[in-house]
C-alpha cells in the first residue's frame, strides 16, 4: 500500500511539496486515482520525473492526469485537495487514525472528513454556489456502531473539539438502535 495521507502527518508533508516516488508505490490505480494525479502534479523537481516515470510504467498512464478544477470556479483553491481527502478518507481503515485526525489535525478539511467518516454526519451545502460541494459527505466507516458514534461524539464534546457543536447535534438526532 502506498502513502496513507491520514497517517504520520503525511498530508502536511505532501502539501508542502515533499513528495517522493515511494509515496506513489503500491497505490491502487482505480481507488487512488485522484491521489496519484495530485502526487504527479505536485511533485517537485527533480523527483517529479521519477514519479511520472514510475506512474506511467506502473499504472499505464500515457498522459499525466489533469489537475482537478471546480467547473463553477476554476480558481477555487480548495477543490483539488478536497477531492483527494474525500477519496482517501474512505480508504482509511483505522478508526483510531481518523479519531486522531478529527480531534487534532491542524487541517480543517482533514479533520472534517475524519469526523464525518466516524459519525456518518455531513454538513449542509452552502447556498447554491461554487462551494456548495463542501459537505464532507463520505459515508460512515464500515463496522461503526451507533454506540461507537455516541462514544466518539461524547469525546469530541468533552475535549471541546473543533466539531463539538456538530457532535451535540449528531447526538440529538441519532436514533436509538434498540427502537
Amino acid at each position: 500500500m502506498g502513502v496513507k495521507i491520514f497517517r504520520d502527518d503525511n498530508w502536511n508533508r505532501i502539501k508542502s511539496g515533499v513528495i517522493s516516488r515511494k509515496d506513489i508505490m503500491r497505490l491502487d490505480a482505480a481507488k487512488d486515482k485522484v491521489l496519484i494525479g495530485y502526487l504527479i502534479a505536485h511533485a517537485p523537481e527533480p523527483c517529479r520525473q521519477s514519479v511520472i516515470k514510475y506512474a506511467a510504467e506502473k499504472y499505464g498512464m500515457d498522459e499525466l492526469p489533469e489537475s482537478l478544477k471546480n467547473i463553477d470556479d476554476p480558481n477555487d483553491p480548495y477543490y483539488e485537495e478536497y477531492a483527494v481527502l474525500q477519496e482517501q478518507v474512505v480508504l482509511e481503515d483505522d478508526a483510531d487514525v481518523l479519531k486522531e485526525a478529527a480531534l487534532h489535525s491542524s487541517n480543517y478539511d482533514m479533520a472534517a472528513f475524519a469526523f464525518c467518516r466516524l459519525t456518518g454526519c455531513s454538513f449542509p451545502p452552502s447556498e447554491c454556489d461554487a462551494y456548495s460541494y463542501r459537505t464532507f459527505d463520505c459515508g460512515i466507516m464500515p463496522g461503526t456502531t451507533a454506540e461507537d458514534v455516541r462514544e466518539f461524539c461524547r469525546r469530541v464534546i468533552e475535549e471541546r473539539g473543533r466539531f463539538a457543536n456538530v457532535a451535540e447535534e449528531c447526538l440529538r438526532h441519532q436514533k436509538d438502535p434498540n427502537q
Side-chain angles (χ1 to χ4, degrees):
M1 185 156 249
V3 66
K4 289 200 165 223
I5 64 172
F6 279 85
R7 299 179 187 208
D8 305 322
D9 209 30
N10 282 328
W11 185 235
N12 288 331
R13 175 183 58 80
I14 288 168
K15 280 184 55 177
S16 68
V18 182
I19 299 170
S20 72
R21 189 178 128 188
K22 183 180 174 188
D23 291 327
I24 207 163
M25 294 172 74
R26 296 188 304 267
L27 292 176
D28 183 293
K31 291 180 183 176
D32 298 302
K33 184 178 180 179
V34 178
L35 177 59
I36 291 168
Y38 186 91
L39 292 171
I40 289 170
H42 295 276
E45 293 297 343
C47 77
R48 185 167 194 256
Q49 294 309 315
S50 174
V51 169
I52 291 169
K53 182 179 180 197
Y54 182 81
E57 292 171 2
K58 170 82 175 171
Y59 304 115
M61 295 179 170
D62 295 330
E63 297 179 12
L64 294 178
E66 291 185 28
S67 293
L68 295 176
K69 297 282 185 203
N70 180 344
I71 59 171
D72 294 322
D73 179 6
N75 296 319
D76 180 353
Y78 307 109
Y79 190 77
E80 185 178 34
E81 292 178 12
Y82 180 92
V84 171
L85 291 171
Q86 187 174 42
E87 173 190 74
Q88 293 299 301
V89 73
V90 299
L91 299 176
E92 180 54 64
D93 57 1
D94 189 329
D96 290 332
V97 168
L98 292 177
K99 288 175 186 175
E100 179 66 24
L103 291 166
H104 304 291
S105 177
S106 60
N107 181 296
Y108 178 86
D109 287 2
M110 179 174 267
F113 270 120
F115 178 84
C116 290
R117 187 71 173 155
L118 292 166
T119 63
C121 293
S122 63
F123 297 95
S126 58
E127 292 184 31
C128 191
D129 64 9
Y131 303 103
S132 61
Y133 67 88
R134 295 176 60 82
T135 64
F136 301 95
D137 186 17
C138 55
I140 195 163
M141 185 175 204
T144 302
T145 66
E147 183 55 35
D148 294 336
V149 173
R150 284 191 294 273
E151 182 180 304
F152 180 64
C153 286
R154 285 188 208 110
R155 180 176 171 195
V156 170
I157 295 165
E158 180 180 298
E159 293 184 21
R160 294 190 175 111
R162 178 183 278 159
F163 303 107
N165 59 339
V166 181
E168 288 172 353
E169 188 71 19
C170 183
L171 285 174
R172 275 195 293 277
H173 290 96
Q174 189 180 29
K175 294 178 182 170
D176 183 346
N178 298 319
Q179 290 182 344

